[in-house]
Amino acid sequence: MITKKFTIFLILFCCFSLTACSPKGYKSVVCPYKLKQLHMCSANSAWGLSCENEILFTENGLENFTPVRTLENVNRSTDGYANAAFIDEQAAYITYSNFALE
């Protein structure tokens, strides 16, 4: 009986804690790109790497990404892989490979 009461208490405590810690005042945004990576530099500026291996940048929020560069011959369906390290609003380092596994 004590275990059952403790379990119920624990569940209620966890639910209350999650509700109390949820962020208020944030709004949802819809990004037109499916992202592999995202780096927010400020509230409105960000870098992104799309699932189609496009390097994206915005200074107007995630809804307004602009492709900066598309990595040619890198396709996730052909085992190509791209990764990015976004430093700040001025610098991004990209590594990628295009190889076939046999």
Side-chain angles (χ1 to χ4, degrees):
M1 187 60 124
I2 293 175
T3 305
K4 187 175 182 180
K5 288 181 181 180
F6 180 73
T7 303
I8 293 171
F9 170 76
L10 188 60
I11 290 170
L12 291 175
F13 179 76
C14 290
C15 291
F16 176 73
S17 297
L18 291 175
T19 303
C21 295
S22 64
K24 304 234 187 292
Y26 291 97
K27 65 176 186 164
S28 296
V29 295
V30 177
C31 179
Y33 295 91
K34 190 173 179 182
L35 299 176
K36 281 197 243 184
Q37 287 182 255
L38 173 67
H39 174 77
M40 298 296 298
C41 301
S42 67
N44 290 320
S45 64
W47 285 100
L49 176 61
S50 76
C51 289
E52 300 302 320
N53 294 320
E54 296 172 294
I55 310 303
L56 310 167
F57 184 73
T58 183
E59 292 181 313
N60 301 317
L62 297 179
E63 303 95 339
N64 301 305
F65 265 125
T66 302
V68 175
R69 182 174 178 197
T70 300
L71 303 175
E72 301 296 329
N73 300 322
V74 178
N75 186 335
R76 61 189 162 105
S77 65
T78 60
D79 296 318
Y81 179 76
N83 192 16
F86 303 114
I87 308 304
D88 57 25
E89 291 182 11
Q90 302 296 315
Y93 294 95
I94 311 301
T95 60
Y96 61 96
S97 65
N98 189 22
F99 59 88
L101 296 175
E102 295 183 26

